[in-house]
Amino acid sequence: MFARILGGAIVLAAAAVLVVAGWPQLFGLQQAAGVAQVVAMRGLAAAVALLLVVVLVVLAMLARPARRFFASLAVVLLAFVCLTAAVLGTRGFGDQAMPTPGGSDVTVLAWNTLGNAPGPTAVATLIAESGADVVALPETTWEFAGEVVDLLAADGIQMQRFTAAYDQISRARSTTLLVSIELGEYEAALDAPTTSQLPSVVATPVDGSGPTLIAVHAVAPVEGEMAGWRSDLEWVAQQCATENVIVAGDMNSTIDHWAGLGATDGAAIGSCLDAAIETGNGAVGTWPTMLPTLLGAPIDHVLVGPAWVATGFRVIGSHDGHGSDHRPVLAMLTPTLEP
């Protein structure tokens, strides 16, 4: 009798843990330590749970006295796998079709370079091949970005360069934003405080006629940085209060973590929509490159205010061997109202 009661308690506890892991927003735990890390890796969690289901089914077949216990755990885990698959399915497993850009469209590229790891030629080539008008490069220094800009200029592509750095020691504490001169002249207050531990860049059009452009690098939700991580997400939400804004970069968070930060119905964060979600790519992981895309975490984003709509999005897997642990993301954006 005691063994049966204990087994039932274990199954119920496992079910409770898996409900929290599957939909922490229900309990307001999406930004809690431990939970935040698990929910970021939904695909990997589901894969591990499915493997455990197989193991438990085998144990149920072999261990007759504990068959009900193992079978019950298998059912609970299978329910978690189905819930996770349903959530990921609604976000999209990948639709990488990119429309041909129109005259008023803006192409945005974001790539955390892991401290300049890919080298300037790889970055410049990707920018040129993608036709990016706006490029967010977390962990990219001023000097490295200058080499990229020079390579692009040699191909007839003119880019404005803005780099914010919290120090000159760690490359991770630099973030660069490149803006095509085709979008007009931009300016940035590079000494202004932005995100807590890693800098972000906010650039605005000099004549006031274009979108505000933001390259973001939020700190990772690791031990000792949880408070800073939460404040970074709140900062992003505040930037997304502007209608005509485009935000891109490494946000070290998924759409799950933004629950409660939306300012309008249907918004992902602030008043912004997430380009990946809107185009059926929200379940495609961008980090780490060592994992397949459907097992990784979609933490690199392009966000748009109500003045823009995402018409295409792509997680670029062809650069997994170029040194960074992040995959680049590319988005095609169209203004909701023609100028």
Side-chain angles (χ1 to χ4, degrees):
M1 175 64 74
F2 176 75
R4 183 171 297 181
I5 293 173
L6 179 61
I10 292 173
V11 170
L12 288 175
V17 169
L18 291 172
V19 168
V20 172
W23 199 250
Q25 298 92 315
L26 186 64
F27 309 96
L29 295 175
Q30 64 275 5
Q31 293 185 4
V35 178
Q37 290 76 11
V38 171
V39 77
M41 308 292 289
R42 281 186 178 274
L44 181 60
V48 171
L50 188 58
L51 179 61
L52 290 175
V53 168
V54 174
V55 172
L56 288 168
V57 168
V58 172
L59 290 174
M61 295 172 62
L62 296 177
R64 184 181 297 271
R67 178 171 296 173
R68 179 177 297 179
F69 172 69
F70 289 130
S72 297
L73 281 178
V75 169
V76 169
L77 282 165
L78 186 59
F80 171 76
V81 172
C82 293
L83 169 63
T84 302
V87 171
L88 294 177
T90 62
R91 296 175 181 178
F93 292 114
D95 178 5
Q96 300 203 3
M98 296 289 286
T100 302
S104 56
D105 290 345
V106 172
T107 302
V108 180
L109 176 70
W111 192 9
N112 182 326
T113 67
L114 193 64
N116 307 338
T121 300
V123 175
T125 300
L126 180 59
I127 293 171
E129 290 177 349
S130 65
D133 304 296
V134 178
V135 184
L137 298 171
E139 299 198 23
T140 303
T141 63
W142 169 262
E143 293 78 12
F144 179 92
E147 296 181 59
V148 172
V149 168
D150 289 344
L151 289 170
L152 291 170
D155 287 336
I157 301 171
Q158 301 295 323
M159 287 282 187
Q160 303 164 75
R161 171 180 42 150
F162 306 98
T163 300
Y166 282 166
D167 64 47
Q168 301 300 321
I169 300 171
S170 171
R171 291 174 177 175
R173 287 170 65 80
S174 291
T175 297
T176 292
L177 172 68
L178 303 181
V179 182
S180 170
I181 62 169
E182 301 288 334
L183 297 183
E185 184 180 357
Y186 270 75
E187 60 184 1
L190 298 175
D191 294 330
T194 53
T195 34
S196 61
Q197 298 298 317
L198 306 170
S200 298
V201 179
V202 180
T204 54
V206 172
D207 64 6
S209 63
T212 297
L213 304 174
I214 304 176
V216 171
H217 194 186
V219 72
V222 297
E223 185 177 359
E225 297 291 356
M226 293 300 296
W229 174 69
R230 297 184 190 107
S231 71
D232 285 354
L233 299 189
E234 292 172 359
W235 183 87
V236 173
Q238 292 167 6
Q239 308 315 302
C240 276
T242 303
E243 180 174 327
N244 194 7
V245 64
I246 297 171
V247 185
D250 175 8
M251 300 183 199
N252 270 310
S253 56
T254 72
I255 190 171
D256 291 295
H257 302 122
W258 305 341
L261 294 176
T264 58
D265 290 341
I269 183 168
S271 296
C272 284
L273 297 177
D274 181 84
I277 295 291
E278 297 303 309
T279 56
N281 293 277
V284 183
T286 64
W287 177 90
T289 54
M290 64 182 293
L291 289 177
T293 55
L294 295 184
L295 298 184
I299 60 174
D300 298 270
H301 301 269
V302 176
L303 307 175
V304 293
W308 297 87
V309 61
T311 52
F313 187 89
R314 179 181 302 160
V315 176
I316 300 173
S318 58
H319 286 57
D320 285 3
H322 282 65
S324 176
D325 56 348
H326 287 255
R327 296 184 176 96
V329 298
L330 184 71
M332 180 74 67
L333 309 179
T334 300
T336 53
L337 296 175
E338 292 293 335

